[in-house]
């Protein structure tokens, strides 16, 4: 085959090619820079919107992120079981029947009932969240009895899904304080958002938790997301968080009854570290931390008012 040759007038000279490159080089550079910038922005958006691992919340959109709900003390070290595909769960048929016995609680005359109800309300209405706690020693048996009272709470299918870790060792208390303050500073500065921080500012709270060192006892309340039987099988704990929360309410009442004070704290993002520090098993998840002791002599509390009965009750 013979090669076809272009006529001389249709050949592009090298000088013309160079001229074209000179004209288009700035345009190509601009387009290339635009493409690179676009790719970088896309990659940054993916990092921001992708689900973060438990405990990492900086990338969540402020408008939608509610750490007290969405990130509620998440524990990424938790073992997540599935009853349907995990053969290690106990079958309800394996459990023994529960005997039913007569129940006859004390009966009071109406006058006594009214008096007792008023006395108990008066006692509980004195309860306040106290952040200034005395280092004065508290009898350990008193705390034990308060926890026994908490253990009388109802629970789903009577699974009693709670563990109360009582810490009095100064070194361990200080490690707890270090973990909590480190995370709480991040919470106040980044995770919680301006509205939450502003709502707390009138109560004069911040990430400094001196009471974690000072209080004679720290009670860390863990919920058991499932039970572990002696034979190693797992047991479903129904409504475990609600059950443990009710138990905490009884604990607060028991502490108030003996003249001790506390402040309910839910240290956001501290659960995994505290669980590992206290050597708790993977089926337990931190729900609440309570410093317990006598009030300091110079203790103060915000002058808050509680809602009247008409604002909290509905008769039908």
């Amino acid at each position: 085959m013979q090669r076809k040759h272009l006529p001389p007038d249709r050949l592009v000279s090298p000088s013309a090619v160079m001229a074209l490159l000179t004209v288009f080089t700035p345009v190509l550079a601009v387009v290339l820079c635009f493409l690179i910038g676009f790719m970088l922005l896309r990659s940054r958006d993916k990092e921001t919107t992708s689900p973060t691992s438990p405990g990492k919340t900086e990338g969540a959109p402020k408008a939608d992120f509610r750490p007290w709900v969405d990130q509620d003390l998440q524990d990424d070290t938790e073992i997540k079981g599935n009853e349907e595909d995990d053969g290690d769960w106990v079958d309800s048929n394996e459990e023994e029947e529960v005997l039913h016995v007569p129940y006859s609680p004390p009966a009071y005359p109406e006058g006594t009932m009214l008096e007792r109800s008023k006395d108990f309300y008066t006692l509980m209405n004195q309860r306040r969240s106290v952040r200034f706690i005395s280092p004065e020693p508290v009898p350990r048996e008193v705390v034990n009895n308060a926890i026994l009272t908490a253990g009388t709470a109802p629970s789903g299918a009577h699974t009693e899904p709670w563990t109360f870790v009582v810490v009095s060792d100064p070194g361990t208390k200080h490690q707890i304080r270090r973990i909590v303050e480190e995370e709480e500073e991040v919470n106040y500065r980044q995770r919680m958002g301006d509205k939450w921080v502003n709502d707390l500012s009138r109560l004069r709270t911040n990430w400094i938790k001196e009471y974690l060192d000072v209080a004679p006892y720290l009670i860390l309340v863990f919920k058991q997301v499932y039970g572990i039987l002696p034979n190693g099988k797992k047991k479903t704990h129904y409504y475990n968080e609600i059950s443990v929360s009710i138990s905490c309410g009884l604990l607060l009442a028991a502490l108030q009854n003996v003249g001790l004070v506390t402040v309910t704290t839910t240290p956001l993002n501290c659960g995994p570290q505290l669980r590992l520090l206290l050597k708790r098993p993977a089926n337990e998840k931190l729900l609440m931390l309570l410093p317990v002791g006598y009030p300091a002599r110079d203790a103060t509390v915000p002058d808050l008012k509680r809602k009247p009965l008409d604002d909290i009750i509905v008769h039908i």
Side-chain angles (χ1 to χ4, degrees):
M1 294 180 63
Q2 292 184 345
R3 293 183 179 180
K4 294 183 179 180
H5 296 280
L6 291 173
D9 58 340
R10 295 183 64 183
L11 293 174
V12 179
S13 65
S15 59
V17 173
M18 292 300 296
L20 286 171
L21 289 175
T22 303
V23 171
F24 285 107
T25 296
V27 176
L28 291 173
V30 170
V31 173
L32 186 60
C33 290
F34 176 79
L35 289 174
I36 293 174
F38 179 75
M39 292 171 65
L40 289 173
L41 286 174
R42 285 291 300 273
S43 63
R44 182 179 300 176
D45 288 343
K46 287 182 180 180
E47 291 176 2
T48 303
T49 57
S50 62
T52 55
S53 61
K56 305 296 182 184
T57 62
E58 288 80 0
K62 284 188 176 181
D64 300 325
F65 179 57
R66 300 175 299 163
W68 60 95
V69 176
D70 304 325
Q71 199 81 4
D72 181 25
L73 305 175
Q74 289 189 12
D75 187 341
D76 57 3
T77 58
E78 175 183 319
I79 295 178
K80 298 179 181 177
N82 188 318
E83 293 185 52
E84 295 182 358
D85 56 19
D86 189 343
D88 289 336
W89 289 83
V90 67
D91 190 325
S92 58
N93 295 328
E94 300 177 41
E95 300 188 81
E96 296 180 359
E97 288 289 331
V98 177
L99 289 176
H100 283 225
V101 296
Y103 176 62
S104 300
Y108 303 105
E110 287 189 12
T112 304
M113 291 171 61
L114 182 60
E115 184 180 356
R116 286 172 64 90
S117 66
K118 287 181 178 179
D119 289 345
F120 188 70
Y121 166 69
T122 299
L123 172 67
M124 294 310 301
N125 195 36
Q126 296 169 3
R127 189 207 59 77
R128 300 301 305 271
S129 295
V130 179
R131 293 172 173 81
F132 304 98
I133 299 177
S134 169
E136 182 182 350
V138 173
R140 183 171 178 176
E141 189 176 2
V142 171
V143 175
N144 290 346
N145 288 335
I147 291 176
L148 280 173
T149 301
T152 67
S155 59
H158 193 62
T159 51
E160 301 176 293
W162 40 66
T163 301
F164 300 90
V165 179
V166 181
V167 179
S168 57
D169 173 66
T172 305
K173 288 194 298 181
H174 188 69
Q175 289 183 72
I176 292 172
R177 178 183 178 181
R178 180 183 58 78
I179 291 171
V180 170
E181 287 187 344
E182 184 177 291
E183 288 293 337
E184 281 286 77
E185 183 174 3
V186 179
N187 292 336
Y188 272 81
R189 293 186 183 277
Q190 298 179 23
R191 299 184 183 119
M192 290 164 56
D194 294 339
K195 184 180 185 306
W196 192 357
V197 173
N198 290 337
D199 287 345
L200 290 175
S201 62
R202 66 192 186 100
L203 303 178
R204 301 179 188 175
T205 67
N206 54 41
W207 61 82
I208 305 300
K209 313 292 184 185
E210 184 179 356
Y211 51 73
L212 295 177
D213 267 327
V214 175
Y217 295 104
L218 303 181
I219 302 178
L220 292 92
V221 186
F222 287 83
K223 68 174 187 179
Q224 301 168 9
V225 294
Y226 56 86
I228 301 178
L229 301 181
N231 61 6
K233 288 192 174 183
K234 299 173 184 176
K235 180 175 180 176
T236 303
H237 279 176
Y238 306 98
Y239 300 107
N240 54 79
E241 185 160 330
I242 295 175
S243 300
V244 179
S245 298
I246 296 172
S247 178
C248 289
L250 290 180
L251 178 56
L252 294 178
L255 294 173
Q256 177 69 18
N257 184 55
V258 295
L260 297 176
V261 298
T262 186
V263 53
T264 56
T265 66
T266 51
L268 187 69
N269 285 72
C270 299
Q273 295 181 73
L274 295 177
R275 186 181 70 75
L276 295 175
L277 172 67
L278 300 173
K279 297 180 172 60
R280 301 312 307 155
N283 66 316
E284 294 186 2
K285 185 174 179 181
L286 181 66
L287 185 70
M288 192 173 296
L289 191 163
L290 302 172
V292 174
Y294 300 108
R297 291 184 179 180
D298 57 351
T300 60
V301 294
D303 186 16
L304 303 177
K305 308 299 179 186
R306 293 188 167 99
K307 292 181 178 180
L309 182 63
D310 288 343
D311 287 354
I312 63 174
I313 192 171
V314 177
H315 280 294
I316 297 177

